[in-house]
Amino acid sequence: MSNNNQKTACIIGGGMSGLFTGALLAKNGYKVTVLEKNHIIGGGLQSFRRGDAVFNTGMQTFAGYSPNMICNGFFNYLGINNNLQIMPTNSNVQEIIWMDDKSFVSLPKGREAYQNYLIDLFPNEKVGILMLIDTIFNIGHTYDYLFLRQVQLHPETIKFAYMSADSFIHQYIKDEKLISIFSYIGWTTGHNLSAMPALEFCMMLTLYIQGSYRFIGGSKILVESLNNIIYNAGGQIINNTTITDIEIIENKVISVASQNKKWSADYFIWACSPKILLNITDYPIFRSSMTNRIKEYKNSFSCSIIFCKLKKHTFKFINSAIYIPLFSSKKVFPQSLLLVTDPLEENQQWANTLDIYIPSSIDDFTQWNDTTLGLRGSEYEHYKSQFAENILNYISLYYPSIKENIDFYEVSTPLTIRDYYGNPNGACYGQQGIYIPIKTKISNLFMAGQAIQNQGIAGIATTSIFLTETILGRSLIEEIAVAK
Ligand SMILES: Cc1cc2nc3c(=O)[nH]c(=O)nc-3n(C[C@H](O)[C@H](O)[C@H](O)COP(=O)(O)OP(=O)(O)OC[C@H]3O[C@@H](n4cnc5c(N)ncnc54)[C@H](O)[C@@H]3O)c2cc1C
């Protein structure tokens, strides 16, 4: 229902951040319009189907869904928790990490189990492990929003923002093999341990140790639920709409425009790469130092993905994230492959699909730089299948029957991420090590999404709640904390 006093918000980008913020504003009485360049919304939250196989494009597992944590409260508040089919990963084996010597560790869920497991493996490091995990949890728990608390000042955490995770861990642990086990978290943050602030490391590990989760039947169900909230509140979602222009007069956005249409609103939320925003206007959106940082900061890593449909009843479903070390002369980051299986619907013993994530650089694909999705030609297809065969041969060293178990596969590359999400250089997690405020210098223009702050469901939910609170001028976190 719309009325003349109803406030309007226009969101540019229909990925997770655009939809989270759109749903929150819609629930709080705003008329929301989401403008999305692709023919479907969702960005990294989309999943696609091939026959009876469903593949996620940017969502294998996520953390922060345990009771009384951000994702759980957030989905309850939006009234969609019951629609979502979410299952925990295996609590005894949340992560399987293969080591260089082909042994592997199986990290369990829960603080006690996690630290006891590590102490059993590295008894000489017992004191250090206990102190390290204690500090991780103390620091991790200061992220108030993640635990559905009103934000407070935590001066004790400041030094961890300026210390690398690597130096932090070395204060407690000497064994390099044990230290390398922690580096798997790089896949969820986009940083290696030396580039990751200790604060972020503590936050991510606190979340993941307390439990990771996955969507059954694809993360698309979350997209559909968010879409319904926006529609039911009288909003609209407009696909196939790339915003190429923004009109700003006297520090206020008047409209945004695609090639053939303009949209006006009271508030505008930029929920895709800030680099795109800087490309379409010279108006000073940010302080000049921030503008320079956005232009100069490095993009996070990119990856290729092999989406495999498995032959029925050939490969066991492994309800864990699997990391296999990657030896590459190119020093790609992260230095591991990530494998995730999804179960057969009718028999969860067996895997239906296997997704293989391979860190990759867009520089290896420069000859197809000027091509677009689906139109890159036969040489590209040939290159991709050779690439996939090499990776599958390598994985056979760890899972010998894997090649025979695959029915068919499809491969995406950093170019896919670049063109599908509009992320410069195909960056999986936007820019690296930069923190862009949600408020801009323009009174009614706000920033959202992984490109400005934290990534993943928990990170983006946090930023979207904070952003919505800023626009509404009141706090929501207490309501979210008690939502059932
Ligand atoms: C390979 C991969 C694996 C991942 N795995 C996980 C995981 O397991 N767990 C987890 O929690 N997170 C994971 N993530 C991160 C998660 O997917 C992202 O943090 C999240 O999807 C980002 O949402 P976003 O809205 O910030 O950006 P996006 O999803 O990139 O959305 C931006 C949207 O804006 C649109 N757009 C771009 N330019 C324009 C324009 N000019 N006009 C209109 N629309 C535009 C894009 O088409 C896109 O739909 C993964 C990411 C990747 C890439």
Side-chain angles (χ1 to χ4, degrees):
M1 287 278 281
S2 151
N3 62 54
N4 288 340
N5 298 325
Q6 193 177 22
K7 294 270 190 221
T8 54
C10 180
I11 299 179
I12 301 96
M16 189 195 302
S17 62
L19 296 175
F20 278 6
T21 313
L24 280 169
L25 286 169
K27 187 172 162 65
N28 283 281
Y30 279 58
K31 186 167 182 194
V32 172
T33 299
V34 177
L35 305 171
E36 166 56 46
K37 82 171 171 55
N38 288 336
H39 70 285
I40 44 169
I41 50 168
L45 257 192
Q46 259 304 339
S47 36
F48 65 94
R49 181 177 278 279
R50 294 287 179 269
D52 69 347
V54 175
F55 298 102
N56 290 321
T57 57
M59 186 54 56
Q60 310 88 44
T61 61
F62 66 99
Y65 185 71
S66 309
N68 304 319
M69 289 176 81
I70 181 88
C71 300
N72 212 310
F74 181 60
F75 295 151
N76 277 334
Y77 176 76
L78 291 178
I80 58 176
N81 220 352
N82 293 336
N83 309 351
L84 306 175
Q85 291 178 292
I86 293 173
M87 75 190 271
T89 52
N90 184 343
S91 54
N92 298 322
V93 189
Q94 269 206 149
E95 274 97 20
I96 296 173
I97 304 174
W98 288 89
M99 308 306 291
D100 295 355
D101 59 8
K102 298 239 171 61
S103 61
F104 63 86
V105 299
S106 327
L107 295 173
K109 167 179 164 174
R111 178 176 172 167
E112 291 296 311
Y114 188 94
Q115 70 190 22
N116 290 343
Y117 179 82
L118 292 181
I119 290 169
D120 276 352
L121 280 184
F122 301 94
N124 295 338
E125 297 277 5
K126 179 174 177 182
V127 175
I129 291 170
L130 289 173
M131 286 170 67
L132 175 70
I133 302 286
D134 202 42
T135 315
I136 287 173
F137 271 76
N138 284 340
I139 301 303
H141 271 271
T142 62
Y143 277 81
D144 293 306
Y145 266 33
L146 295 178
F147 301 94
L148 300 171
R149 294 187 303 257
Q150 200 48 271
V151 173
Q152 290 175 17
L153 283 179
H154 293 282
E156 73 278 16
T157 65
I158 289 170
K159 70 172 180 189
F160 296 96
Y162 296 101
M163 187 192 296
S164 76
D166 196 38
S167 318
F168 168 67
I169 300 168
H170 273 97
Q171 289 182 355
Y172 305 95
I173 307 287
K174 302 245 165 348
D175 191 307
E176 289 301 324
K177 186 173 174 186
L178 173 53
I179 292 171
S180 74
I181 290 175
F182 292 110
S183 60
Y184 79 89
I185 206 74
W187 260 106
T188 59
T189 62
H191 298 306
N192 60 29
L193 292 178
S194 54
M196 188 189 312
L199 193 57
E200 188 178 343
F201 172 77
C202 294
M203 185 263 280
M204 292 307 282
L205 219 61
T206 305
L207 284 185
Y208 271 88
I209 291 175
Q210 290 185 64
S212 63
Y213 294 81
R214 56 196 300 155
F215 287 97
I216 306 169
S219 48
K220 189 179 173 184
I221 180 99
L222 176 55
V223 177
E224 287 162 358
S225 304
L226 297 164
N227 173 82
N228 292 345
I229 295 174
I230 294 169
Y231 265 108
N232 292 342
Q236 55 180 340
I237 290 180
I238 307 177
N239 297 331
N240 296 315
T241 301
T242 303
I243 294 307
T244 51
D245 203 2
I246 182 163
E247 185 187 6
I248 306 172
I249 298 175
E250 292 177 1
N251 262 6
K252 194 168 177 219
V253 180
I254 306 301
S255 65
V256 291
S258 67
Q259 272 193 331
N260 46 26
K261 200 167 170 199
K262 273 188 182 181
W263 285 268
S264 310
D266 297 314
Y267 296 94
F268 291 83
I269 292 129
W270 193 265
C272 50
S273 170
K275 283 191 173 174
I276 303 176
L277 179 57
L278 294 183
N279 281 342
I280 65 172
T281 178
D282 290 330
Y283 205 98
I285 306 275
F286 308 99
R287 281 184 290 117
S288 57
S289 57
M290 179 56 76
T291 303
N292 292 336
R293 289 174 70 196
I294 294 172
K295 285 182 180 159
E296 285 162 14
Y297 258 56
K298 276 204 331 199
N299 296 302
S300 59
F301 72 96
S302 188
C303 72
S304 302
I305 310 174
I306 311 176
F307 299 102
C308 309
K309 162 79 175 108
L310 298 166
K311 291 177 190 157
K312 273 204 170 159
H313 307 155
T314 58
F315 195 84
K316 284 264 163 77
F317 169 50
I318 304 169
N319 191 10
S320 327
I322 305 165
Y323 299 88
I324 295 182
L326 188 62
F327 301 102
S328 164
S329 53
K330 289 190 181 157
K331 289 249 172 278
V332 288
F333 168 77
Q335 285 180 314
S336 58
L337 305 173
L338 166 59
L339 278 63
V340 181
T341 58
D342 258 1
L344 260 181
E345 210 177 308
E346 67 275 16
N347 182 349
Q348 300 228 336
Q349 262 204 337
W350 298 100
N352 188 28
T353 61
L354 165 70
D355 298 346
I356 305 165
Y357 295 79
I358 310 111
S360 305
S361 165
I362 202 157
D363 296 343
D364 294 340
F365 298 86
T366 42
Q367 78 180 91
W368 297 286
N369 244 347
D370 299 329
T371 60
T372 51
L373 277 173
L375 299 169
R376 304 199 205 278
S378 56
E379 265 190 68
Y380 176 70
E381 294 306 320
H382 180 67
Y383 183 91
K384 284 200 303 182
S385 33
Q386 286 224 305
F387 171 81
E389 286 304 309
N390 288 339
I391 294 290
L392 291 172
N393 285 337
Y394 180 61
I395 293 174
S396 307
L397 301 175
Y398 297 82
Y399 295 94
S401 67
I402 192 68
K403 284 184 77 176
E404 296 130 49
N405 300 156
I406 293 174
D407 185 1
F408 63 84
Y409 62 74
E410 289 192 17
V411 184
S412 74
T413 71
L415 292 175
T416 322
I417 298 182
R418 181 196 70 177
D419 295 344
Y420 180 66
Y421 303 77
N423 287 356
N425 285 353
C428 283
Y429 295 141
Q431 284 178 268
Q432 199 165 32
I434 191 167
Y435 183 92
I436 303 171
I438 56 166
K439 277 186 174 178
T440 67
K441 284 177 71 177
I442 312 300
S443 60
N444 62 344
L445 175 64
F446 298 85
M447 306 297 295
Q450 68 169 7
I452 64 149
Q453 293 178 17
N454 299 320
Q455 67 275 3
I457 295 200
I460 290 184
T462 308
T463 316
S464 300
I465 293 168
F466 186 57
L467 166 54
T468 308
E469 290 179 333
T470 308
I471 292 177
L472 298 179
R474 69 180 176 87
S475 171
L476 292 177
I477 200 74
E478 294 87 354
E479 287 171 52
I480 294 174
V482 297
K484 292 274 177 274

